[in-house]
Amino acid sequence: MSRVYNFSAGPAVLPEEVLKEAQADLLDYKGCGMSVMEMSHRSSMFNDIIVEAEKDIRTLLSIPDNYKVLFLQGGAWTQFSAVPMNMMNKHHKAGYITTGQWATKAYKEASKYGEVVELASSKDKNYTYIPDCSDLPITDDMDYVYICQNNTIYGTEYWELPNTKGVDLVADVSSDFLSRPMDVTKYAVMYGGVQKNIGPAGLAISIIRDDLITDDVYPNTPTMLMWKTQADKDSLFNTPNCWGIYMCGLVFKWLLKNGGLEGIAKKNADKAKILYDYLDQSKLFKPTVTDKKSRSNMNVPFVTGDKDLDAKFVAESKAAGLENLKGHRTVGGMRASIYNAMPKAGVEKLVTFMEDFEKKNLK
Amino acid sequence: MSRVYNFSAGPAVLPEEVLKEAQADLLDYKGCGMSVMEMSHRSSMFNDIIVEAEKDIRTLLSIPDNYKVLFLQGGAWTQFSAVPMNMMNKHHKAGYITTGQWATKAYKEASKYGEVVELASSKDKNYTYIPDCSDLPITDDMDYVYICQNNTIYGTEYWELPNTKGVDLVADVSSDFLSRPMDVTKYAVMYGGVQKNIGPAGLAISIIRDDLITDDVYPNTPTMLMWKTQADKDSLFNTPNCWGIYMCGLVFKWLLKNGGLEGIAKKNADKAKILYDYLDQSKLFKPTVTDKKSRSNMNVPFVTGDKDLDAKFVAESKAAGLENLKGHRTVGGMRASIYNAMPKAGVEKLVTFMEDFEKKNLK
């Protein structure tokens, strides 16, 4: 079988040329006689891989010198605990904006470690919009303000950062990481699992302003959840996910070669426009996010309003080589995740398929 | 370049036929049109992979039904915290036997969460032996007794488990995991990073007796460090290291095809005997572990007693395609790690090289 177009919300499609390079080098990385999966993390070969990966992500995001880049295990979920354990150290208080399931999970986890204020929420409309964040009840005694920048399940994305009134901003960027330029200096911490836009599952990347890396953490924080543990050892305190770091490094090179984040942002906007333009005029399919300024360029949920028809669409699109279009159970219908590595041709094929399906099924 | 013999202590050599299978399927796993690295962890394809992997490790170790198998991130290091956080819930006290750096790190980490007693140690002789564990000062009020079963740095291995006097035994088996049959029922918890004997770095496997999986954990334990979190969701609470699980699954099949743990134990014993027999009669090289009943079949440290000669050996062996023989800095000299995937031919080539080196350099 040839490769399908994979619209999975994550783990997700990776660039084909990156996979081919990994395949070619799998048993013998650059003539060293072993696989990257077999290399000591203390070897000079692996050191070159991790140093180069860090250099490249610094270039892509123009990360200033006073920010550390950490390659971590345990996913974004582990950071739901690590963020409050490392940061709630002055006032033991933080503000969270809940725009979906992941932000809500982070909010609940943080409440173990201090006082947590829900600053705003879009729960009233099943998280189909980003709230107005221009004048939230943020107070000086909050150690940070927290957002989930792109909401994978609901298909919303912050296009403007909240006015945090001078309080540090923490963002889970798992599902729009490296999808467009982001001004790192506007964030105290930016982190995400890599398995949506960047690489294979099992790795998270945290970009942390260095004054936040401290011993002054929540009492008895596990050593592995203290950011300082890995920051002091350049992510090599213990054995990292070496293969994941290698794969992300290849993707960073692929991004650099293809116009960097400016380049990929334009491609992502083009792909999203093709899909939203079609949805906005369709008589069969409806986008679930009608508030255009809240729409994600990464995840596009849509429904027909008829569960049987949705199921038929998912089955027939799969048969046509358009995989993983079933929506999340809390939204229903369909969802097309169109991350960095989804080619424009994949979105075009999807829209053509939808047009055809609409013709056949519109009553 | 052809493949080298890689004596790395971990991450370490993997079976060549397993790497070839992963390479062949890298862009299109069994005709599904995508890489395992691109699969949703909620897909039926990935579900088949993880279910099969669990089934196979259960077969290999004859794991009883009342033990859970968890595929976790964060390495053995994260379990250094998770063990006391999940298990020090009755008497808030545990006993540790410190036979090397890793057991000592686990001991120190546990002391954050309760009273920790050092039951025995081999520190007096730089960890070159396993202490007599037949009658340790273990008391009923200990929640568990902890060992590191194979000491990678020092080259020692427990061939007999401690007499725990009825108290639950917890073992870090990172560096002898699946290297020989082990009676799971003798352990309350057996866990390890996979990157030495089983698969690529970034995955740990914990085998836990189910009565130890509980909500009654240390106050404010991070959700991801509660064993119950992953146990309740069959390791799919959040996105796991899918590629790591897939690779381990291939290695499980390779083990099953090659005689299971009985088969690999015999091969490992043969390889170790070749190397120890040579070392015990050599006039140039000396094994650092002279206590034969403490010797590891996995990691074999040795020295010439002359630092310059050691360095010469490491350089020349590397040039001959025998990689990563440099010893750990705390032991010095050399170390050959001869895990499951190291072929007998690799050990034979090493011994031939050592014989030749001895002839040329013995004064």
Side-chain angles (χ1 to χ4, degrees):
Chain A
M1 187 179 183
S2 58
R3 284 184 39 92
V4 297
Y5 287 117
N6 176 14
F7 293 92
S8 171
V13 57
L14 292 168
E16 190 165 324
E17 66 182 89
V18 163
L19 292 174
K20 283 182 174 161
E21 185 175 347
Q23 182 179 44
D25 284 350
L26 196 123
L27 274 91
D28 182 8
Y29 175 74
K30 296 193 188 304
C32 77
M34 65 180 80
S35 175
V36 172
M37 286 184 268
E38 302 176 297
M39 278 179 197
S40 169
H41 58 301
R42 307 282 178 210
S43 65
S44 62
M45 292 172 299
F46 184 73
N47 196 61
D48 289 349
I49 288 172
I50 191 169
V51 166
E52 188 85 358
E54 180 176 338
K55 181 172 77 66
D56 287 340
I57 192 174
R58 284 188 175 277
T59 303
L60 283 164
L61 276 167
S62 304
I63 302 175
D65 287 345
N66 66 324
Y67 282 73
K68 278 275 187 183
V69 175
L70 303 185
F71 296 99
L72 303 171
Q73 293 187 54
W77 234 116
T78 300
Q79 297 307 305
F80 293 174
S81 320
V83 165
M85 291 182 112
N86 284 274
M87 289 184 71
M88 272 191 185
N89 51 6
K90 291 187 187 72
H91 309 289
H92 313 290
K93 185 172 171 183
Y96 278 67
I97 305 173
T98 56
T99 52
Q101 279 195 25
W102 298 107
T104 305
K105 284 171 181 170
Y107 165 75
K108 286 183 183 161
E109 184 73 2
S111 70
K112 291 180 182 178
Y113 306 105
E115 183 187 346
V116 187
V117 178
E118 192 174 46
L119 296 166
S121 175
S122 49
K123 195 179 178 185
D124 59 331
K125 294 184 183 169
N126 198 32
Y127 302 117
T128 51
Y129 70 103
I130 300 292
D132 177 2
C133 297
S134 60
D135 187 19
L136 298 171
I138 295 167
T139 49
D140 282 349
D141 64 350
M142 289 179 178
D143 287 324
Y144 60 91
V145 169
Y146 183 101
I147 63 168
C148 178
Q149 189 167 274
N150 183 84
N151 299 284
T152 320
I153 294 174
Y154 305 96
T156 63
E157 186 171 4
Y158 285 82
W159 290 98
E160 195 176 339
L161 292 176
N163 172 9
T164 63
K165 304 180 179 179
V167 172
D168 279 337
L169 177 67
V170 176
D172 173 356
V173 297
S174 293
S175 53
D176 64 355
F177 218 171
L178 303 188
S179 69
R180 54 183 168 94
M182 294 171 195
D183 182 352
V184 173
T185 66
K186 300 264 192 283
Y187 305 77
V189 178
M190 171 191 288
Y191 78 89
V194 303
Q195 71 273 13
K196 295 165 188 290
N197 248 327
I198 311 183
L203 188 70
I205 299 176
S206 285
I207 301 165
I208 307 174
R209 209 179 58 226
D210 59 12
D211 61 286
L212 298 168
I213 293 168
T214 173
D215 280 322
D216 182 19
V217 297
Y218 185 80
N220 298 328
T221 295
T223 297
M224 289 291 286
L225 266 70
M226 285 180 62
W227 289 334
K228 194 171 191 305
T229 300
Q230 294 294 0
D232 284 353
K233 300 287 184 182
D234 295 325
S235 304
L236 293 170
F237 171 77
N238 69 326
T239 319
N241 180 342
C242 299
W243 179 257
I245 292 168
Y246 161 68
M247 288 298 302
C248 288
L250 295 183
V251 172
F252 299 157
K253 295 265 180 232
W254 175 81
L255 285 167
L256 287 167
K257 210 169 63 184
N258 287 280
L261 299 191
E262 298 279 356
I264 203 75
K266 191 178 171 316
K267 283 175 198 158
N268 286 333
D270 284 352
K271 288 183 296 181
K273 186 173 188 306
I274 291 169
L275 191 47
Y276 284 122
D277 281 354
Y278 166 70
L279 286 169
D280 283 336
Q281 60 74 52
S282 171
K283 294 191 167 55
L284 183 66
F285 298 103
K286 298 294 158 209
T288 58
V289 179
T290 51
D291 177 28
K292 291 188 183 182
K293 68 182 189 308
S294 295
R295 282 178 174 170
S296 168
N297 276 0
M298 299 286 102
N299 313 95
V300 183
F302 53 95
V303 294
T304 64
D306 173 340
K307 279 185 185 178
D308 294 337
L309 202 55
D310 288 348
K312 186 180 178 195
F313 179 85
V314 171
E316 291 186 4
S317 58
K318 182 178 166 72
L322 302 162
E323 286 265 2
N324 289 316
L325 283 162
K326 188 163 193 281
H328 191 273
R329 64 185 181 282
T330 59
V331 176
M334 284 69 69
R335 172 178 50 176
S337 295
I338 51 176
Y339 298 120
N340 285 350
M342 172 58 66
K344 185 178 176 184
V347 178
E348 288 171 340
K349 185 172 171 182
L350 170 61
V351 168
T352 302
F353 182 86
M354 289 169 78
E355 287 169 341
D356 189 51
F357 188 91
E358 180 170 349
K359 265 182 220 149
K360 288 179 186 154
N361 292 280
L362 191 65
K363 282 162 196 166
Chain B
M1 185 177 184
S2 59
R3 288 189 30 99
V4 297
Y5 287 118
N6 176 14
F7 294 91
S8 171
V13 57
L14 292 168
E16 191 165 322
E17 66 182 89
V18 163
L19 292 173
K20 283 183 175 161
E21 184 174 348
Q23 182 180 45
D25 285 349
L26 196 123
L27 274 92
D28 182 8
Y29 175 74
K30 296 193 188 301
C32 77
M34 65 179 79
S35 175
V36 172
M37 287 184 269
E38 303 177 297
M39 279 180 195
S40 168
H41 59 301
R42 307 280 178 214
S43 65
S44 62
M45 291 172 300
F46 184 73
N47 195 61
D48 290 348
I49 289 172
I50 192 169
V51 166
E52 189 83 359
E54 181 177 338
K55 181 173 77 68
D56 287 341
I57 192 174
R58 284 187 175 277
T59 302
L60 283 165
L61 277 167
S62 305
I63 302 175
D65 287 346
N66 66 323
Y67 282 74
K68 277 274 188 185
V69 175
L70 303 185
F71 296 98
L72 302 171
Q73 293 187 56
W77 235 115
T78 300
Q79 297 308 305
F80 293 174
S81 320
V83 165
M85 291 180 112
N86 285 274
M87 288 184 74
M88 271 191 187
N89 52 6
K90 291 188 189 71
H91 308 289
H92 314 290
K93 185 172 171 184
Y96 277 66
I97 305 173
T98 57
T99 51
Q101 279 195 26
W102 298 107
T104 305
K105 285 171 180 170
Y107 165 75
K108 287 182 182 162
E109 185 73 3
S111 70
K112 291 181 181 176
Y113 307 106
E115 183 187 347
V116 187
V117 178
E118 191 174 46
L119 295 166
S121 175
S122 50
K123 196 181 179 187
D124 58 332
K125 294 184 183 170
N126 198 33
Y127 303 118
T128 51
Y129 70 102
I130 300 292
D132 176 2
C133 297
S134 60
D135 187 21
L136 299 170
I138 294 167
T139 49
D140 282 350
D141 64 350
M142 289 179 179
D143 287 324
Y144 59 91
V145 169
Y146 183 100
I147 63 169
C148 178
Q149 189 167 274
N150 183 84
N151 298 282
T152 320
I153 294 175
Y154 305 96
T156 62
E157 187 170 4
Y158 285 81
W159 290 99
E160 194 176 339
L161 292 175
N163 172 10
T164 63
K165 304 179 178 180
V167 173
D168 279 338
L169 177 68
V170 177
D172 173 357
V173 297
S174 293
S175 52
D176 64 355
F177 218 172
L178 303 189
S179 69
R180 54 183 167 94
M182 294 172 195
D183 181 352
V184 173
T185 65
K186 300 262 191 285
Y187 304 77
V189 178
M190 171 192 287
Y191 78 90
V194 303
Q195 71 273 12
K196 295 165 188 289
N197 249 327
I198 313 183
L203 187 71
I205 299 177
S206 285
I207 301 166
I208 306 174
R209 210 179 57 225
D210 59 12
D211 61 286
L212 299 168
I213 293 168
T214 171
D215 279 322
D216 180 19
V217 297
Y218 185 80
N220 297 328
T221 295
T223 297
M224 288 290 286
L225 265 70
M226 286 179 62
W227 289 334
K228 192 170 192 308
T229 300
Q230 294 294 1
D232 284 353
K233 299 288 183 180
D234 296 324
S235 305
L236 292 171
F237 171 76
N238 69 326
T239 319
N241 179 343
C242 298
W243 179 257
I245 293 167
Y246 161 67
M247 288 298 302
C248 288
L250 295 184
V251 172
F252 299 157
K253 295 265 182 230
W254 174 81
L255 285 168
L256 287 167
K257 210 169 61 182
N258 287 278
L261 299 192
E262 298 279 356
I264 203 74
K266 191 177 170 316
K267 283 175 197 158
N268 287 332
D270 285 351
K271 289 184 295 181
K273 185 173 189 306
I274 291 169
L275 191 47
Y276 284 121
D277 280 353
Y278 167 70
L279 286 168
D280 283 336
Q281 61 73 52
S282 171
K283 294 190 169 55
L284 183 67
F285 298 103
K286 298 291 158 210
T288 59
V289 179
T290 51
D291 177 29
K292 292 188 180 180
K293 68 183 190 308
S294 295
R295 282 178 173 170
S296 167
N297 276 359
M298 298 285 102
N299 313 96
V300 182
F302 53 95
V303 294
T304 64
D306 172 341
K307 279 186 183 175
D308 294 337
L309 202 56
D310 287 349
K312 187 180 175 193
F313 179 85
V314 170
E316 292 186 5
S317 59
K318 182 178 166 71
L322 302 163
E323 287 263 1
N324 290 316
L325 283 163
K326 190 166 192 278
H328 191 272
R329 66 185 179 283
T330 58
V331 176
M334 284 69 69
R335 173 178 49 180
S337 295
I338 51 176
Y339 298 121
N340 285 352
M342 170 59 64
K344 186 178 176 184
V347 178
E348 288 170 339
K349 186 174 169 180
L350 170 61
V351 169
T352 301
F353 182 85
M354 290 169 80
E355 287 169 341
D356 189 51
F357 187 89
E358 181 170 348
K359 268 181 219 151
K360 287 179 186 155
N361 292 280
L362 191 65
K363 283 165 193 166

